[in-house]
Structures are given as C-alpha cells and as structure tokens.
C-alpha cells in the first residue's frame, strides 16, 4: 500500500467574494518527508492555497487532505498535524514572547509541563530566551520572524508550512533558518515552502511546483524543471515561465563572454 501523502490537494478552486478566482483547480501531492517548494509570482495564489489548507480560508470546491485527514470538513486532526508560519506577521501584541508559545501549545491541548519544556527548548533554539518576558510588539522584525517560526513548531507538527519566511530578513537569520529547517526535515518533518529566492529553493527543495494565475503550470525536481524549459537553473526555468527570459543571468554571462 502506498504511504499516505503529507498533503494531497485535488481540484482546489477558491473564488473570493470579490469575484477574484485565486485558484482555478489546483492538484498537488506532497509525500511525507519531502521538502516541497511552491513558487510563483505575486498574486499567483500561493498564500490562498496555504490558507485553504490551514483553515484560514474556505475553499469554493475541491478536496484537501493532510496525512489523510479532510482539512475542510474534519479539520481538527488535519490542523494538529500542521504548523504554519504565515506571510503576514500575526502576533498578539499584548502577549509576551513566552506567553505566545504557551497559549499556542494550550490551544493544541499540550499539558502545562510539556508546554513549558517545549517553549524553553524553542526559545533557546531561536535565541529568544533573553526576550521571553518582553511583549511581542517590542521585538525587532527579525525577532518577530523567529517567534512566528517557534510558534509554528510548538506543537511538533508533522507538516511545517513556511509562507515567505525570509522576506525582508537579514542574511544571518535567513541562513540560520535554513539550517534549522533542513535539520528538522532530515529528522522527518515535511516542509512546504514558498519563497522568492529561487537559488535557495533550488538548493533546499526536493520537489518544486510553479504556480501562475491560480494554476500549477509545471512541477518536478529542479533539474527536471530546468531540462523541461531547456535551461540550466531553476531561476532560468522560472524566467521562461513568466516570459522574462531576457533577465537570465546565465544569458547575460554568455553574452558578455
Ligand atoms: P500569492 O501568495 O501567490 O502572492 P495570493 O494567494 O495572496 O497570492 O493572492 C492570489 C489572488 O487572490 C490575488 O489576485 C489576490 O489579490 C487575491 N486575494 C488574496 N486574498 C484575498 C482576499 N482576502 N480577498 C480577495 N482577494 C484576495
Ligand atoms: Mg503570498
């Protein structure tokens, strides 16, 4: 029997009340243990897909399963298996750093002692221990990003979803974050990542799906995608896809030579 996918999306359609059709029948499978990249231009529908998966948006039609659990109609088990670091910083400004983690654990039914231990471990991991009694609104941008990631991991999700986690963060934090995420991926956590950094996606992701105007337009490993578009890198495949191949760095270098 084939293993249950970590995430299985079938014919997902999302029409917002404004009439915008953000997803026009998307299907994709993410295997357990995979590091999966969802790439596409702004407005392609990446966050909408993630919001439908995590219960933040109601799909118009289609089916979403997280480790086999229906994420729309029986979302409790699906939600417990997912940790989300959303694109928009959505911290409660009146809570301290430690309370943020503790409340999140409480929401997922973790006993007090386990919450305390897990929070301590994550605060240390993300260099937030000294800030644990500070209110979230006083944190720097990078610290807020760290806390959002720690919060996503608090209940030990089997599927971690990172929606542009490194947009606007400094280089050190970006590298630190990738090291950490690669480690937990090696230890078994499935990762769904959206990012604008194509070189990083190429290094990190086993499998990539390109999404454009609400549709998955290509997918495969980075080498497969490059071959499909007749180019050498994931970035160039992306530029071909969005019709901007004149921006290719490989072409610029070839022209200069
Ligand atoms: P991405 O994350 O790939 O940049 P989004 O999923 O945020 O794309 O957006 C996809 C499309 O849906 C865009 O046209 C966007 O304007 C629209 N959209 C996103 N959220 C909403 C919303 N809450 N109400 C109406 N339209 C929305
Ligand atoms: Mg987005």
């Amino acid at each position: 029997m084939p293993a249950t996918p970590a995430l299985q999306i079938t014919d997902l359609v999302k029409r917002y009340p404004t009439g915008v059709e953000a997803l026009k029948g998307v299907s994709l499978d993410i295997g357990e243990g995979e590091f999966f990249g969802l790439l596409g231009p702004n407005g392609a529908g990446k966050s909408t897909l993630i919001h439908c998966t995590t219960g933040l948006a109601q799909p118009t039609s289609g089916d979403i399963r997280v480790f086999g659990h229906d994420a729309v109609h029986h979302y409790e088990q699906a939600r417990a298996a997912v940790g989300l670091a959303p694109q928009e910083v959505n911290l409660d400004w009146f809570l301290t750093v430690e309370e943020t983690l503790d409340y999140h654990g409480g929401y997922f039914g973790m006993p007090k002692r386990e919450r305390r231990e897990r929070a301590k471990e994550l605060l240390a991991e993300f260099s937030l221990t000294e800030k644990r009694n500070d209110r979230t609104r006083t944190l720097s941008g990078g610290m807020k990003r760290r806390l959002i990631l720690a919060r996503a991991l608090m209940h030990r999700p089997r599927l971690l979803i990172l929606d542009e986690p490194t947009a606007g963060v400094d280089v050190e934090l970006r590298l630190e974050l990738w090291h950490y995420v690669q480690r937990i991926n090696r230890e078994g956590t499935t990762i769904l990542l959206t990012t604008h950094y194509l070189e990083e996606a190429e290094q990190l992701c086993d499998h990539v799906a390109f999404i454009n105007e609400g549709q998955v337009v290509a997918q495969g490993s980075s080498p497969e995608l490059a071959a499909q578009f007749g180019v050498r890198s994931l970035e160039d495949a992306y530029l071909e896809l969005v019709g901007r191949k004149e921006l290719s760095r490989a072409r610029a270098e070839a022209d200069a030579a």
Side-chain angles (χ1 to χ4, degrees):
M1 206 174 73
T4 310
L7 179 63
Q8 184 166 45
I9 294 180
T10 313
D11 298 329
L12 181 62
V13 173
K14 173 61 183 178
R15 217 169 3 255
Y16 284 108
T18 52
V20 172
E21 198 167 46
L23 299 172
K24 299 172 180 161
V26 167
S27 297
L28 54 85
D29 272 22
I30 303 182
E32 178 158 25
E34 246 178 356
F35 201 130
F36 191 100
L38 183 64
L39 308 180
N42 277 329
K46 304 180 296 296
S47 294
T48 300
L49 181 147
I50 288 170
H51 292 162
C52 289
T53 301
T54 50
L56 299 174
Q58 185 73 20
T60 304
S61 62
D63 187 74
I64 305 174
R65 279 169 203 275
V66 178
F67 294 101
H69 303 293
D70 183 330
V72 182
H73 302 103
H74 301 281
Y75 55 79
E76 292 87 354
Q77 280 164 308
R79 211 170 287 177
V82 179
L84 170 66
Q87 184 176 354
E88 309 295 340
V89 171
N90 65 344
L91 294 165
D92 184 331
W93 302 136
F94 295 99
L95 297 182
T96 66
V97 167
E98 194 164 26
E99 284 165 353
T100 300
L101 298 182
D102 189 67
Y103 284 27
H104 183 88
Y107 178 79
F108 284 96
M110 293 169 74
K112 189 163 182 58
R113 176 149 171 210
E114 194 188 333
R115 295 202 303 268
R116 208 182 303 130
E117 282 166 12
R118 180 66 171 156
K120 196 174 168 197
E121 186 183 312
L122 288 167
L123 290 172
E125 187 67 56
F126 291 98
S127 312
L128 287 165
T129 304
E130 278 177 27
K131 303 275 178 192
R132 67 187 181 281
N133 295 320
D134 292 6
R135 302 224 174 261
T136 59
R137 67 169 180 280
T138 67
L139 299 177
S140 69
M143 292 281 181
K144 286 176 184 148
R145 280 278 154 211
R146 284 195 169 96
L147 179 57
I148 282 176
L149 186 62
R151 185 186 60 186
L153 292 162
M154 183 68 190
H155 61 293
R156 304 180 192 277
R158 295 167 70 191
L159 170 63
L160 176 65
I161 301 183
L162 303 167
D163 195 358
E164 300 195 28
T166 53
V169 311
D170 61 32
V171 179
E172 299 96 287
L173 176 55
R174 229 164 80 200
L175 294 176
E176 214 179 281
L177 197 145
W178 295 143
H179 282 290
Y180 184 78
V181 172
Q182 277 184 298
R183 195 184 90 211
I184 63 171
N185 178 243
R186 277 196 302 272
E187 290 168 0
T189 305
T190 308
I191 313 284
L192 168 57
L193 166 74
T194 80
T195 177
H196 280 124
Y197 298 97
L198 291 151
E199 286 182 347
E200 285 177 349
E202 182 159 26
Q203 282 174 29
L204 293 165
C205 301
D206 314 315
H207 194 99
V208 168
F210 281 141
I211 181 169
N212 199 12
E213 295 179 0
Q215 287 175 307
V216 172
V217 287
Q219 58 174 316
S221 65
S222 292
E224 282 166 4
L225 283 165
Q228 203 173 317
F229 288 89
V231 294
R232 292 234 185 102
S233 66
L234 187 65
E235 183 174 88
D236 282 355
Y238 179 88
L239 291 172
E240 291 281 333
L241 182 86
V242 298
R244 299 299 306 275
K245 61 182 172 191
E246 76 278 6
L247 298 175
S248 162
R249 287 184 251 186
R251 276 166 63 107
E253 279 160 26
D255 289 349

